[in-house]
């Protein structure tokens, strides 16, 4: 990553954007917690956050309905970005895409545009072969977590139905 310097040879901060996503019910990934880690990372790596993209209450299973990620991708593809780094809390906040290649594809689109993705809470740098292996593993783990959670939720709902409890939205007219 190229850095410019001022007349006193002090490196100028790298211009960065941040992406924050929280799906419902996962408070350990609250936007505030993510932003704290991202801001600390930016400060310790001489980065200035100039843009924010966010998806609150959105599943990471796909890009549909994720206005923040869609806006980011649109801005990148139409060259409306003024930053060279994207800061994301971790691989699972980028997404729990069921196809790990989809997750990698979106990151590749940014890379092709000269924007490096930094996973601020991960234990690896995002710049060599070992990080590629770890990211693929983490992406697979994130997708598997979603699949396992879905099975558990469905089983729990089935159990409640067997016990006579109704699941879903309000009862239809005439069924109350």
């Amino acid at each position: 990553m190229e850095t410019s310097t001022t007349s006193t040879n002090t490196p100028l901060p790298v211009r960065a954007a941040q992406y924050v996503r929280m799906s419902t019910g996962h408070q350990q990934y609250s936007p505030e917690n993510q932003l704290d880690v991202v801001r600390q990372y930016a400060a310790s790596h001489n980065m200035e956050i100039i843009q924010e993209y966010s998806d609150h209450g959105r599943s990471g299973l796909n890009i549909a309905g994720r206005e923040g990620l869609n806006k980011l991708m649109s801005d990148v593809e139409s060259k409306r970005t003024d930053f060279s780094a994207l800061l994301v809390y971790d691989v699972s906040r980028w997404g729990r895409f069921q196809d790990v290649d989809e997750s990698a594809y979106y990151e590749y689109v940014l890379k092709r545009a000269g924007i490096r993705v930094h996973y601020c809470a991960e234990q690896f740098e995002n710049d060599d072969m070992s990080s590629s292996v770890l990211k693929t593993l983490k992406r697979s783990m994130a997708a598997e977590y979603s699949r396992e959670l879905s099975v558990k939720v469905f089983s729990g709902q089935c159990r409640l139905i067997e016990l006579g409890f109704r699941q879903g939205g309000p009862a239809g007219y005439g069924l109350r």
Side-chain angles (χ1 to χ4, degrees), residues 51-127:
Q51 179 79 39
E52 179 178 333
Y53 299 91
S54 62
D55 288 309
H56 298 285
R58 295 292 172 201
S59 168
L61 293 178
N62 56 49
I63 197 168
R66 291 172 63 184
E67 292 177 16
L69 184 55
N70 278 299
K71 173 87 168 99
L72 169 63
M73 299 312 293
S74 173
D75 287 352
V76 168
E77 289 171 348
S78 62
K79 298 178 175 34
R80 290 187 308 242
T81 57
D82 188 21
F83 50 86
S84 60
L86 178 70
L87 307 179
V88 182
Y89 179 79
D90 69 9
V91 171
S92 73
R93 298 300 87 203
W94 182 245
R96 296 186 186 276
F97 298 98
Q98 297 303 288
D99 181 348
V100 296
D101 292 339
E102 183 177 3
S103 178
Y105 168 75
Y106 298 127
E107 186 174 328
Y108 177 73
V109 169
L110 271 66
K111 180 181 176 181
R112 192 176 62 207
I115 300 169
R116 181 174 166 215
V117 178
H118 297 258
Y119 296 108
C120 303
E122 297 289 4
Q123 299 300 314
F124 58 83
E125 287 294 321
N126 192 19
D127 58 359

Side-chain angles (χ1 to χ4, degrees), residues 8-175:
T8 61
N9 288 336
T10 305
L12 292 173
V14 173
R15 296 172 64 80
Q18 61 190 11
Y19 175 73
V20 176
R21 181 186 68 79
M22 184 184 92
S23 53
T24 57
H26 292 84
Q27 293 308 309
Q28 75 268 25
Y29 293 121
S30 74
E32 295 78 21
N33 291 346
Q34 292 178 56
L35 290 173
D36 285 346
V37 171
V38 166
R39 288 181 187 129
Q40 289 172 7
Y41 184 94
S44 68
H45 288 81
N46 192 30
M47 295 179 171
E48 175 188 10
I49 298 171
I50 62 164
Q51 179 79 39
E52 179 178 333
Y53 299 91
S54 62
D55 288 309
H56 298 285
R58 295 292 172 201
S59 168
L61 293 178
N62 56 49
I63 197 168
R66 291 172 63 184
E67 292 177 16
L69 184 55
N70 278 299
K71 173 87 168 99
L72 169 63
M73 299 312 293
S74 173
D75 287 352
V76 168
E77 289 171 348
S78 62
K79 298 178 175 34
R80 290 187 308 242
T81 57
D82 188 21
F83 50 86
S84 60
L86 178 70
L87 307 179
V88 182
Y89 179 79
D90 69 9
V91 171
S92 73
R93 298 300 87 203
W94 182 245
R96 296 186 186 276
F97 298 98
Q98 297 303 288
D99 181 348
V100 296
D101 292 339
E102 183 177 3
S103 178
Y105 168 75
Y106 298 127
E107 186 174 328
Y108 177 73
V109 169
L110 271 66
K111 180 181 176 181
R112 192 176 62 207
I115 300 169
R116 181 174 166 215
V117 178
H118 297 258
Y119 296 108
C120 303
E122 297 289 4
Q123 299 300 314
F124 58 83
E125 287 294 321
N126 192 19
D127 58 359
D128 60 11
M129 181 57 87
S130 63
S131 68
S132 295
V133 171
L134 286 171
K135 279 191 298 187
T136 301
L137 179 62
K138 291 257 191 182
R139 288 177 178 139
S140 297
M141 290 168 50
E144 184 61 21
Y145 171 81
S146 292
R147 282 190 287 272
E148 288 175 356
L149 184 60
S150 180
V151 167
K152 289 175 185 175
V153 168
F154 181 74
S155 295
Q157 289 174 332
C158 289
R159 177 77 177 129
L160 288 173
I161 290 169
E162 289 169 359
L163 293 172
F165 295 98
R166 194 181 63 70
Q167 295 293 294
Y173 181 77
L175 299 175

